[in-house]
Amino acid sequence: MSLQANDFELFDVPLQFAQDRTQIDARWKALQREAHPDRFAAEGAAAQRVAMQWSVRINEAYQRLKDPLKRAAYLCELQGTPVQAENNTAMPAAFLMQQMEWRETLDDTDSAQSLEALAEEVAGEQKRVQLELARLLDDVQDPAQAVGQVRALMFIERFMQEVNAKLDRLT
């Protein structure tokens, strides 16, 4: 295995959005056991440095593969269509309207019950977007369309953090 292998090759999982999280977790533990620098203590400093590089590489891949948002963005990039969220914020009008409604609800609500309902609605949309990403990346293989869904998921996840933070303050 090469340090330059993509994350999917490194973890020996299919090159697709839909993944089994337990398989990723198990593979991460196995790879970390194999590459742990302490296993190479008797082989000297150079072997330990290489083991440390492997350990860092394994952790970076794990962080991308376990997180649906990072995994989707990585897949788009591997397929030649980087998300470029900092340069391209274009979103469909319907999604922008939904964002505005959610934002108004969040700003106008001081009720834990209302915030929980909002969190449930946003979580439903998050799940829908993830299913759409699986369809676009795995079935249709259209990374150009998937990029828009990745940007939507970025907003949804940030917004969900705001909802949860406000909910924590109220409870």
Side-chain angles (χ1 to χ4, degrees), residues 76 83 90-92 95 129 133 143-153:
C76 289
V83 174
M91 297 299 291
F95 186 75
V129 170
L133 280 167
Q145 287 293 315
V147 162
Q149 295 298 307
V150 171
R151 286 195 305 267
L153 190 55

Side-chain angles (χ1 to χ4, degrees), residues 91-98:
M91 297 299 291
F95 186 75
L96 293 173
M97 291 301 295
Q98 182 65 66

Side-chain angles (χ1 to χ4, degrees), residues 59-118:
N59 282 331
E60 289 172 347
Y62 178 64
Q63 293 304 315
R64 270 190 297 267
L65 291 177
K66 75 175 186 171
D67 181 279
L69 174 59
K70 290 177 184 176
R71 184 170 60 245
Y74 183 62
L75 274 166
C76 289
E77 187 175 316
L78 286 176
Q79 295 177 34
T81 312
V83 174
Q84 297 178 328
E86 61 281 347
N87 300 329
N88 185 354
T89 59
M91 297 299 291
F95 186 75
L96 293 173
M97 291 301 295
Q98 182 65 66
Q99 287 181 39
M100 290 172 53
E101 289 175 23
W102 286 346
R103 176 71 50 206
E104 285 177 21
T105 301
L106 179 63
D107 291 344
D108 296 343
T109 296
D110 286 326
S111 155
Q113 185 177 4
S114 295
L115 285 174
E116 287 169 357
L118 177 61

Side-chain angles (χ1 to χ4, degrees), residues 12 29 46 52 73 85-86 106 110 112 119 129 133 135-136 143 145 160-161 163 169-171:
D12 195 26
K29 289 176 186 173
M52 182 61 74
E86 61 281 347
L106 179 63
D110 286 326
V129 170
L133 280 167
R135 186 185 75 77
L136 290 170
Q145 287 293 315
M160 187 63 107
Q161 290 172 353
V163 171
R169 287 190 303 268
L170 292 177
T171 56

Side-chain angles (χ1 to χ4, degrees), residues 28-46:
W28 174 72
K29 289 176 186 173
L31 287 169
Q32 281 297 3
R33 275 192 302 274
E34 291 176 29
H36 199 282
D38 290 349
R39 292 192 64 216
F40 300 90
E43 296 181 34

Side-chain angles (χ1 to χ4, degrees), residues 3 7 10-11 28 31-32 35-37 48-64:
L3 281 171
D7 297 351
L10 180 62
F11 273 65
W28 174 72
L31 287 169
Q32 281 297 3
H36 199 282
Q48 282 187 307
R49 273 194 305 277
V50 170
M52 182 61 74
Q53 287 175 327
W54 269 106
S55 186
V56 167
R57 173 69 182 94
I58 291 164
N59 282 331
E60 289 172 347
Y62 178 64
Q63 293 304 315
R64 270 190 297 267

Side-chain angles (χ1 to χ4, degrees), residues 19-30:
Q19 294 290 333
D20 177 353
R21 175 65 190 267
T22 57
Q23 182 182 1
I24 290 171
D25 291 346
R27 183 71 174 136
W28 174 72
K29 289 176 186 173

